[in-house]
Amino acid sequence: MNEAPKVSAGHMIGLIIALTLIWLGWSGIYDNGMILSFGVLSLVITVWVSKRLGAIDSEGQPVNPKLIGYAPWLLKEIVVANIDVIKRILSPEIEKAISPTWTVVSAKQKTRLGRVIFANSITLTPGTVSVEVGEDKILVHALSQEGADALAGDMGGEMGTRVCGLEG
């Protein structure tokens, strides 16, 4: 019988904290002892099963303090890209404003999770869509050449550099 991989205490604590906050936030029940005890029991069973299945690892860490700095930056980029797309759509010279293009973006992230975060960040930003993710490249369709150029460079632009920073 295969044993589950060793899990650090930090990963277990991170999972417990994340699941506790999610359960408390969604249930909204804080004063019923029986419901709270069911919540604790379901949390213990979930963490135990996750540990036995080997689903808790360094890539699946639910709590990454570096995300606290990345999330607001990504939200700002989403807003800026939304404004850019709206301007392009409402432009009287739409043929010049919108110039769909394909580009291959360097993905220098060390882990699969890093590449997934990078590709999803590209897709979340209006005007760009990640189409295919490879080991070190991402195929992206952009609404304009300017959008494609923002992802250029050895690290995949500022977004790629910031995602690399999430990995450590």
Side-chain angles (χ1 to χ4, degrees):
M1 181 172 140
N2 291 341
E3 273 190 48
K6 298 289 182 196
V7 178
S8 74
H11 288 102
M12 293 288 291
I13 291 169
L15 180 62
I16 290 168
I17 290 169
L19 290 175
T20 300
L21 292 174
I22 290 169
W23 187 87
L24 287 172
W26 284 345
S27 74
I29 299 170
Y30 311 108
D31 57 354
N32 186 323
M34 185 174 76
I35 301 279
L36 288 172
S37 62
F38 285 145
V40 169
L41 180 64
S42 67
L43 178 79
V44 168
I45 291 170
T46 300
V47 172
W48 178 77
V49 168
S50 296
K51 184 176 185 289
R52 294 274 303 171
L53 289 173
I56 305 170
D57 60 13
S58 61
E59 282 197 358
Q61 178 62 25
V63 179
N64 183 345
K66 294 177 184 177
L67 283 174
I68 294 169
Y70 181 71
W73 177 84
L74 180 60
L75 286 173
K76 177 198 66 104
E77 291 299 310
I78 290 170
V79 170
V80 168
N82 267 301
I83 293 167
D84 179 62
V85 169
I86 291 168
K87 285 180 182 178
R88 289 177 187 281
I89 291 171
L90 297 177
S91 171
E93 298 178 348
I94 196 165
E95 295 82 20
K96 291 181 184 176
I98 297 178
S99 55
T101 187
W102 291 95
T103 188
V104 176
V105 177
S106 293
K108 300 292 184 186
Q109 291 71 32
K110 299 176 208 151
T111 62
R112 288 184 308 190
L113 179 62
R115 286 188 298 281
V116 168
I117 290 172
F118 185 31
N120 285 341
S121 296
I122 291 169
T123 298
L124 282 171
T125 309
T128 53
V129 177
S130 299
V131 178
E132 184 178 344
V133 179
E135 286 298 315
D136 61 347
K137 292 181 177 27
I138 301 174
L139 178 62
V140 175
H141 183 268
L143 189 64
S144 66
Q145 187 60 48
E146 292 84 3
D149 291 344
L151 298 168
D154 189 41
M155 295 297 288
E158 183 179 4
M159 185 179 287
T161 302
R162 286 180 177 265
V163 173
C164 284
L166 291 176
E167 294 180 305

